[in-house]
Structure formats: C-alpha cells, structure tokens
Amino acid sequence: MAAVARRLGVAPSTLRTWDRRYGLGPSRHTGGKHRRYCAADIGRLELMQRALLRGASTAEAARYALQQMPKSYSAVPQTPAQPLPPPAEHTAAARNGAAARRLRAAAVALDGRAVQQTLHDAIGAAGVLEAWEGVIAPVLDACGNGWPGTPAGVEVQALLTECVLAAVVRATPVLDHPRNQRPVLLVRAPGEPDPLPLHVLGAGLAGRRIGTQLFGLPLPAPALAAAVRRSSPAAVVLWAGRSAEADPELFPEVSRGGLRSRLFAAGPGWADVELPDRVEPLPGLRTAADRIEYVLVGK
C-alpha cells in the first residue's frame, strides 16, 4: 500500500478509505493477512485519479473506474459504461474550489500535463487575477507550507511554479495599441525571490489593455534607477512579498532626476513599512490592477 500511495501521490489512509468505501483495494492475497495490489488494481486507481483531476466527486470517480475496468470480467455490464458526468460547479467559489483540488492532486502526482491543463482551464474560465486569487495562490501557499498526509516536497513546488509561470505568460496578450501612452514599469525589490505575482499583475493589466514593461529578475537599485530614466514610465510598481526586501529608500533612488512617474509599493512586504509621501501602497494584485487602470486611463 505504501508503494502504491507514493506512486499515486496520495496518503495511505486515502487508499484504505477508497478500499473500504468503494472496493478499490488490493485483490491479491499473500500469506497471513497481507493483500497486495496487482497491475489491474493500480490501473483502476489511476483511472479514478484521472477522473478526480477532471473534477468528479470521489464516488463518481470510483464508479467510473469500476465501469472501465470491472474487477470481474464475467460481470461486465451489457450496456456501455456511461461517460463521466460533469462536475456541478454553479458558483465561482465552487468552481475555484474544484480547480484548486484538481491542481493540488495533479501537482502532488507530478503530472505536468494535468497541471498545465488545470491552469489553462482556470485562467480561461475566470481570467488571470481571479484564477490567481481563488485557485493558484492558495495551492502555492499550501505547497510551500507542506500538505499533511501527502508527499509534497521541493519537486512538487518546482513543477507547480514552472507551470504557473508558463501559463501566466501564455495568458498575457501582446498589445498593439495599449490604452496608456507610456508603460507601467513592473519590478521586484532587490532580493525578492518570487517573480510570479508580478507576472500575474502584468497579465491582468494586459487583459485591460494597459501596457507594461516587466523585469522578471530583481534589479539592484542603480539598475532600477537607470531603467526608470530610460523608459520614462507612467508608473513604477515595486513588488515586495517579504518585509526583509521592502526598503523605502528605493523610491528616492527611482525618482531621482525629476521624473514624474506615479510610484506604487505593491505586495504584503510593505504592510508595516513607512513609505515616502508620493508612494501609494497596493496590498493585493486585484486592487493594484484596479488602481493602476484608474490612475492611468480611468474607467
């Protein structure tokens, strides 16, 4: 059981529950009380897991797996197996919850294809900003904190991070005629390790036809000041996810030379930092997108 649990990326207790409730357990008996999974048992569990990744309930997924691979081929039903019913997702919260469960399961199973498909579906259904808040960020946070009962290690976090970045970049339209004449400069504070929030903000602004210039790598203060001077942005958004990187002295460096760019401090790292007078805090990505759009072009 432990080996099968590792293969599927679930907890052994989950396999015991599936065996007890749905009969999807090991069928091969050995000496004593031991029972072992055969290839057919594992195949049924993999079918069930794929159904779960598509959003089926546990009972629906178990029924589907048993229809596709009956335990006794003499008991194969005369009528074809019914297709898996679509999940009942009637509200945004239910839709996001189902997508988050699929994303988590796919990531733990190291199923990159399922991770990418789930991200594609979530972003396509709700847009980048809502998918980030309702699906992606909660799963990333849970992955970073470790999931009780699941073998979520650094390899899971690495796969998830790469897939999220690729999905967000794919969802960022290239603007021929942005609504703003000068770009919004999006940059991480020096030392800030996480590039994903800025990419999400850039995608959200691009979806509103707001042009941006994004630096995926954190720039040291002199390079950041040089980028501002050379691009003459309409606004500068400096992201800090952690207080250790939230240095308010960066803003005088950015505004040196008399440039009239709007200055924004985005991210939770600035929450307890005293900012210069000209700098406006933006606590969340949706708030940031709304405020930047209003300041630059109105609504």
Side-chain angles (χ1 to χ4, degrees):
M1 181 172 288
V4 174
R6 286 193 298 271
R7 174 170 174 167
L8 296 177
V10 300
S13 60
T14 300
L15 292 183
R16 285 191 287 269
T17 300
W18 291 353
D19 182 12
R20 185 176 66 254
R21 292 184 180 176
Y22 310 113
L24 288 170
S27 56
R28 180 176 297 168
H29 292 262
T30 60
K33 297 182 179 179
H34 296 290
R35 299 167 64 203
R36 295 188 179 277
Y37 289 86
C38 65
D41 297 330
I42 295 173
R44 276 187 288 273
L45 290 171
E46 289 174 340
L47 281 173
M48 179 174 181
Q49 190 173 53
R50 284 197 287 272
L52 288 170
L53 294 177
R54 291 171 52 194
S57 69
T58 308
E60 289 172 337
R63 185 166 59 250
Y64 174 76
L66 288 169
Q67 285 177 334
Q68 298 300 311
M69 291 185 66
K71 283 199 167 184
S72 172
Y73 283 93
S74 62
V76 175
Q78 297 301 312
T79 56
Q82 295 300 311
L84 187 67
E89 298 172 7
H90 301 298
T91 67
R95 182 184 66 231
N96 289 342
R101 290 191 295 273
R102 291 196 298 272
L103 183 60
R104 167 179 165 158
V108 171
L110 293 181
D111 188 340
R113 182 176 178 180
V115 170
Q116 294 177 54
Q117 186 62 54
T118 303
L119 291 169
H120 174 80
D121 293 344
I123 292 173
V128 173
L129 291 171
E130 183 178 328
W132 172 263
E133 292 181 352
V135 179
I136 300 170
V139 175
L140 283 169
D141 290 343
C143 179
N145 295 328
W147 288 319
T150 59
V154 65
E155 71 283 359
V156 174
Q157 192 168 13
L159 172 69
L160 189 56
T161 299
E162 291 296 328
C163 289
V164 169
L165 179 57
V168 172
V169 170
R170 284 196 298 269
T172 305
V174 178
L175 303 178
D176 291 333
H177 302 288
R179 295 160 66 196
N180 51 318
Q181 294 182 350
R182 293 184 294 148
V184 179
L185 188 65
L186 304 178
V187 65
R188 286 188 276 165
E192 169 58 42
D194 188 6
L196 292 179
L198 269 189
H199 282 278
V200 172
L201 179 57
L205 288 171
R208 304 178 185 199
R209 296 180 48 238
I210 303 296
T212 66
Q213 174 63 60
L214 189 151
F215 288 93
L217 295 176
L219 299 178
L224 174 58
V228 171
R229 288 195 303 271
R230 294 177 64 182
S231 60
S232 298
V236 178
V237 179
L238 192 57
W239 173 270
R242 308 184 307 185
S243 58
E245 280 74 43
D247 182 5
E249 294 301 320
L250 290 168
F251 291 101
E253 184 77 17
V254 166
S255 57
R256 187 173 297 171
L259 292 175
R260 302 296 296 175
S261 303
R262 294 292 295 261
L263 301 177
F264 296 98
W270 301 102
D272 298 321
V273 176
E274 184 175 353
L275 296 170
D277 291 339
R278 288 184 54 212
V279 180
E280 182 176 347
L282 299 173
L285 292 182
R286 188 185 296 274
T287 302
D290 290 343
R291 181 60 179 161
I292 292 169
E293 181 181 21
Y294 178 80
V295 168
L296 266 61
V297 297
K299 284 193 176 181

